[in-house]
Amino acid sequence: MMRSIVVVGSQWGDEGKGKVTNYYSAKADIVVRYQGGNNAGHTVKFDGQEFHLQTIPSGIFNEKTLNILGNGMVINPISLYSEMKTLLDAGFKLNNMVISSRANVDLNYHLELDGLKEAHLKDKKIGTTKKGIGPCYTDKISRDGIRFADFIDEDFPKIYAEHLKEKNEEIARYGGTPIDLEKSLKEYEKLSEFFKPYVKETVSILAKAKKASKKILFEGAQGTMLDIDFGTYPYVSSSNSSAGGAITGSGIGIGYIEGVVGIVKAYTTRVGEGPFVTELFNDLADNIREKAHEYGVVTHRPRRIGYLDLNQLRYSRNVNGFDYFALMLLDILSGIDEIKVCTSYELDGKIIDYVPASLKETYRCKPVYVTLPGWKEDISKVRKFEDLPINAQNYVKFIEKEIDAHACLISVGPDHNETIIKEDIF
């Protein structure tokens, strides 16, 4: 049993992290979201209810679990307030949530610039969610950001006015409409007062929790292939969405992390631009998309669909160092006669077992497939691994062998209870 684990997306995001973190959060004392912002979306279903989270950690529904929005995040206060209000109206008190005073604030000029810069790129666009995430991280790295410690400070109006003057000049250069200082400041000052009780120094909270042997769950957004360093650059997010981001995005010491759980979708999807070696353009892709409702939680864009890519998953395992993985949406594959799985790439006539850094090379890669027999049975009621159809069991075992990791959890439906616990690790 591990007392501190990182839950990380192993593909291009949308793997089902929300369900897994919500499941493990029932055992956790603390859940920490360590990077990203409201460009991510988690859908959590339980007891006949469905909630869509963008910024708030998935442990928020458990009153005894403290939820931390970590310093590695960029947080839009307007969006966060709206998300919190939805939960408050649903009866959740939110006394179990804090915001790191070191987290950067995603402001209106970041959103404006995100949209303008994406439009300026034309056919070279990244495919961002236009939520201001990239420009906010840019300010953070250039040491020109505003953090929540500043946002709740009495000097915020002065700080914001100084920043907005410079940003409005940049907005004008892109042909955009400058943001009104008085109007926007009035809204932000109200939010500043609202968020004051939530903003805390979270490094010390985590240090005390580890000393007291509390169970801590670290939750990432997006997925490894969208990591700023290890993803399909430049078609990536602006943060470290791999497991390493949990260290810098929370302030926990590296020696305190006991394990990593990779979240693996039983097939592959991605949203936005960039290479996708196993992508499908046929009826099977359309059927999977509609059956699983593969549309972005935040953008509602249809997700691109492809076969499972074990070459990419091995790369993800190497980057994240996970020995365990949760296999999600296995039920979606029921009814398919034969299922192809990519085991390696062919690049210019040679078989390779890695993901190239060069986009030019990745675009030239062809998937090398093996074909596995499918299964017809509805598996949504199955709760034990040995009760799965034999071909479904073999599909899981094949993945385990190929990526050298153990399936600890298998999802056979969207609800919290539609889960097979193959190995209890937390």
Side-chain angles (χ1 to χ4, degrees):
M1 287 283 188
M2 294 179 284
R3 302 198 69 80
S4 56
I5 61 172
V6 180
V7 170
V8 63
S10 300
Q11 294 148 306
W12 277 278
D14 309 310
E15 301 95 346
K17 295 182 295 297
K19 175 177 177 176
V20 176
T21 51
N22 181 250
Y23 174 80
Y24 283 132
S25 68
K27 302 180 179 183
D29 296 299
I30 300 177
V31 177
V32 186
R33 169 83 183 273
Y34 59 82
Q35 49 76 225
N38 66 323
N39 58 333
H42 293 334
T43 300
V44 178
K45 297 182 180 181
F46 61 93
D47 300 334
Q49 302 179 88
E50 180 174 304
F51 295 95
H52 300 290
L53 303 177
Q54 295 181 27
T55 308
I56 299 174
S58 301
I60 196 67
F61 304 108
N62 302 296
E63 291 183 5
K64 296 180 180 179
T65 302
L66 176 64
N67 291 263
I68 296 177
L69 280 66
N71 59 275
M73 294 185 69
V74 291
I75 302 170
N76 182 325
I78 297 173
S79 174
L80 178 56
Y81 174 77
S82 177
E83 194 173 334
M84 290 174 68
K85 191 174 186 304
T86 298
L87 296 182
L88 288 166
D89 291 344
F92 297 96
K93 297 179 181 179
L94 304 187
N95 295 327
N96 58 336
M97 190 188 96
V98 298
I99 302 168
S100 170
S101 54
R102 292 179 170 86
N104 275 62
V105 188
D106 182 14
L107 295 160
N108 48 12
Y109 51 74
H110 292 127
L111 276 73
E112 183 69 17
L113 286 168
D114 199 0
L116 290 169
K117 289 179 178 180
E118 185 77 345
H120 182 72
L121 290 171
K122 297 181 180 178
D123 60 341
K124 294 182 180 179
K125 66 181 180 178
I126 303 299
T128 77
T129 57
K130 300 179 183 179
K131 298 289 185 179
I133 307 301
C136 189
Y137 273 118
T138 297
D139 280 358
K140 174 180 178 176
I141 298 303
S142 63
R143 294 162 293 186
D144 195 34
I146 296 177
R147 305 199 292 182
F148 262 84
D150 307 310
F151 187 64
I152 63 171
D153 190 85
E154 60 183 12
D155 289 335
F156 171 72
K158 179 183 177 181
I159 297 170
Y160 176 71
E162 291 173 351
H163 280 73
L164 184 61
K165 181 180 179 181
E166 179 183 331
K167 297 300 182 181
N168 271 340
E169 291 174 359
E170 188 176 359
I171 288 169
R173 287 197 295 272
Y174 278 102
T177 303
I179 294 168
D180 183 85
L181 171 62
E182 185 176 344
K183 181 180 178 181
S184 58
L185 189 56
K186 186 176 181 180
E187 181 175 24
Y188 281 140
E189 286 182 312
K190 289 181 180 178
L191 290 172
S192 174
E193 287 300 314
F194 173 82
F195 283 119
K196 271 185 181 179
Y198 292 96
V199 179
K200 306 289 182 182
E201 200 292 311
T202 55
V203 172
S204 59
I205 292 175
L206 286 173
K208 292 172 184 175
K210 279 304 297 183
K211 190 173 182 179
S213 297
K214 300 290 187 180
K215 282 195 169 187
I216 307 175
L217 183 66
F218 297 88
E219 172 188 8
Q222 290 91 37
T224 303
M225 300 309 294
L226 294 175
D227 185 279
I228 187 68
D229 286 300
F230 301 109
T232 48
Y233 189 91
Y235 299 104
V236 293
S237 190
S238 300
S239 60
N240 286 115
S241 50
S242 55
I247 308 300
T248 55
S250 69
I252 196 77
I254 190 169
Y256 290 145
I257 301 293
E258 296 181 18
V260 180
V261 177
I263 311 302
V264 177
K265 187 176 281 188
Y267 48 95
T268 311
T269 64
R270 81 170 294 176
V271 173
E273 308 299 321
F276 187 173
V277 176
T278 64
E279 186 170 11
L280 297 172
F281 303 92
N282 55 18
D283 290 342
L284 177 59
D286 293 338
N287 291 339
I288 288 175
R289 184 180 297 109
E290 295 308 313
K291 185 177 180 180
H293 196 65
E294 290 288 1
Y295 295 88
V297 174
V298 176
T299 63
H300 304 294
R301 289 181 291 183
R303 294 173 185 147
R304 300 158 64 187
I305 309 292
Y307 285 121
L308 187 64
D309 186 342
L310 297 180
N311 196 51
Q312 177 265 306
L313 280 177
R314 277 190 224 99
Y315 172 77
S316 182
R317 184 193 183 284
N318 292 338
V319 168
N320 294 299
F322 61 80
D323 292 319
Y324 295 95
F325 67 93
L327 186 64
M328 313 303 290
L329 289 103
L330 184 64
D331 55 300
I332 299 301
L333 299 183
S334 293
I336 301 175
D337 293 330
E338 294 182 330
I339 305 170
K340 290 184 178 180
V341 179
C342 173
T343 56
S344 58
Y345 297 163
E346 180 185 326
L347 174 60
D348 301 335
K350 296 180 180 180
I351 301 299
I352 63 171
D353 60 356
Y354 60 89
V355 176
S358 165
L359 283 192
K360 289 177 65 177
E361 290 186 356
T362 307
Y363 278 120
R364 295 203 305 273
C365 286
K366 298 177 182 179
V368 178
Y369 287 121
V370 298
T371 301
L372 302 176
W375 58 93
K376 296 290 187 182
E377 297 91 337
D378 175 9
I379 62 173
S380 62
K381 301 292 191 296
V382 177
R383 298 295 178 266
K384 295 181 180 180
F385 180 74
E386 56 268 24
D387 292 338
L388 284 171
I390 189 63
N391 288 342
Q393 291 185 43
N394 289 338
Y395 188 76
V396 177
K397 290 176 181 178
F398 186 80
I399 298 169
E400 290 180 316
K401 181 180 178 181
E402 286 290 316
I403 69 172
D404 191 23
H406 305 284
C408 57
L409 181 153
I410 300 169
S411 177
V412 292
D415 194 80
H416 179 86
N417 295 318
E418 294 174 322
T419 306
I420 297 169
I421 303 303
K422 192 164 179 280
E423 190 169 347
D424 197 3
I425 63 169
F426 184 63

